Amino acid sequence: MERWKKRFIALHHCPFLNDSAIIKLIKIDPTLENFHQLSPSDISRLTSLSHQKALTIFDYMKNLQFDHLLDIYEKEKIHIITIFDEEYPPLLKEIYDPPLVLYTKGNPLLLKARILGVVGTRNMTENGRLSLQKMIPPLIKEGFVTVSGLAKGIDTHAHRLTVENKGGTIAVLGGGVMKIYPKENQKLADYIAEEHLLVSEYPPFTSPVKWHFPKRNRIISGLSEGVIIIEAKEKSGSLITADQALEQGRDVFAVPGSIVEPTAAGTNSLIQQGAKLVMSHQDILNELQ
């Protein structure tokens, strides 16, 4: 790995340094060669962080055994893609706030395919399962890769159905690729890491926290040409993904449901607001082609 990229990724591991602070530092020091010489006061001044946080960053960088960490990543077959690398997904780069770094495990060539997001409720009904069964296999035959969030319910079933139909699937995580959530999906995640692709914007050993999940949704939609919402309650993470997809200029496809089903309230509302009502994979193909 080239020295600049190594310095950039080391910086990305720092606690309290968000993407905007890192970009600010790159503008001040494009080579990142001087960061190790900065005092806590310098770091505080340049990043607008408190002195205590700057001190934490200073101590972290001073004690970080980064080459050892990179050896672990290599052993675990974790591949790191920065926004400055040619292999960074071009569609994702177009969004308002693309992640600076993607930590991946599996087949990164899937990022070059035509990708469709598939998200929905954690409390999947039989209608949701049948809707997925109707949509996903024919889309896979058309060469699409699915991307979802490895959550319970629709996400999990979308990944499994793609695998069963010999398609490619990408799981975008709310924690690092070595900290799978939910735990019951560890086996599925291991399989995806071997044959498909795990993706996270967080360093590999980062534990997931609540606010990571709505944030990761922008990556699901950002990687996709369009996002299919299959079952969503009136207030749900899937609707956050739909909103982000619309902000990113992506197509939003919603599968309608019964007016008495709580899991159809969100999708029906999306259709009222202008999302494309879809009843078969052909409706999606008509829009995208």
Side-chain angles (χ1 to χ4, degrees):
M1 186 184 292
E2 61 179 278
R3 286 168 60 197
W4 187 90
K5 183 173 178 177
K6 197 183 282 191
R7 287 193 290 269
F8 177 64
I9 295 166
L11 209 58
H12 192 257
H13 278 66
C14 274
F16 306 122
L17 272 189
N18 60 22
D19 285 4
S20 58
I22 293 172
I23 290 167
K24 198 182 287 186
L25 289 169
I26 291 171
K27 285 178 180 173
I28 295 162
D29 177 18
T31 65
L32 296 178
E33 285 180 359
N34 300 319
F35 188 79
H36 289 276
Q37 298 164 21
L38 297 177
S39 68
S41 298
D42 292 330
I43 294 169
S44 176
R45 177 174 50 81
L46 293 172
T47 60
S48 305
L49 290 168
S50 70
H51 185 75
Q52 190 58 49
K53 286 180 178 178
L55 192 59
T56 303
I57 292 166
F58 178 80
D59 289 340
Y60 184 88
M61 288 299 279
K62 194 169 67 172
N63 297 312
L64 180 62
Q65 294 179 307
F66 197 60
D67 286 329
H68 175 62
L69 201 53
L70 288 179
D71 287 343
I72 294 171
Y73 293 170
E74 190 175 352
K75 185 182 171 190
E76 292 292 339
K77 298 179 181 174
I78 295 166
H79 181 57
I80 304 173
I81 304 169
T82 78
I83 197 166
F84 304 104
D85 296 329
E86 280 185 25
E87 60 189 308
Y88 191 93
L91 268 183
L92 188 59
K93 199 180 277 191
E94 290 175 6
I95 72 172
Y96 168 71
D97 52 350
L100 294 183
V101 181
L102 296 174
Y103 300 88
T104 70
K105 195 169 183 186
N107 178 9
L109 292 177
L110 291 178
L111 294 170
K112 296 182 182 296
R114 296 189 74 184
I115 300 170
L116 280 172
V118 185
V119 295
T121 181
R122 285 171 169 76
N123 303 308
M124 182 179 68
T125 69
E126 180 64 7
N127 281 341
R129 189 188 68 77
L130 291 172
S131 296
L132 281 168
Q133 186 68 54
K134 186 175 181 180
M135 292 282 180
I136 287 183
L139 288 169
I140 288 165
K141 281 183 183 172
E142 292 290 335
F144 284 98
V145 163
T146 62
V147 59
S148 196
L150 202 72
K152 294 177 187 176
I154 293 290
D155 290 24
T156 294
H157 200 63
H159 291 306
R160 289 192 190 281
L161 201 51
T162 304
V163 168
E164 286 164 14
N165 285 273
K166 302 196 167 27
T169 195
I170 300 168
V172 183
L173 309 176
V177 295
M178 301 302 291
K179 293 282 185 178
I180 298 302
Y181 179 88
K183 283 291 178 194
E184 57 260 43
N185 274 350
Q186 183 69 58
K187 208 169 180 180
L188 176 59
D190 290 343
Y191 183 79
I192 291 172
E194 283 293 322
E195 303 294 332
H196 299 270
L197 188 66
L198 298 179
V199 174
S200 175
E201 67 179 312
Y202 303 106
F205 292 98
T206 306
S207 295
V209 292
K210 197 174 180 181
W211 60 268
H212 285 178
F213 293 96
K215 197 162 179 271
R216 68 96 198 264
N217 291 350
R218 83 191 193 289
I219 301 176
I220 294 173
S221 54
L223 287 170
S224 308
E225 291 182 39
V227 177
I228 310 166
I229 317 290
I230 299 181
E231 292 198 312
K233 291 183 179 177
E234 214 155 4
K235 291 179 181 176
S236 73
S238 304
L239 300 189
I240 294 171
T241 311
D243 287 341
Q244 289 171 334
L246 288 170
E247 284 173 17
Q248 294 164 355
R250 307 295 192 256
D251 287 303
V252 175
F253 306 108
V255 176
S258 165
I259 59 170
V260 297
E261 283 289 343
T263 53
T267 47
N268 290 347
S269 175
L270 282 174
I271 292 163
Q272 282 185 322
Q273 294 168 52
K276 173 75 175 174
L277 184 154
V278 293
M279 294 187 291
S280 75
H281 76 288
Q282 195 59 52
D283 295 328
I284 294 167
L285 295 179
N286 290 345
E287 285 294 310
L288 295 180
Q289 288 170 357

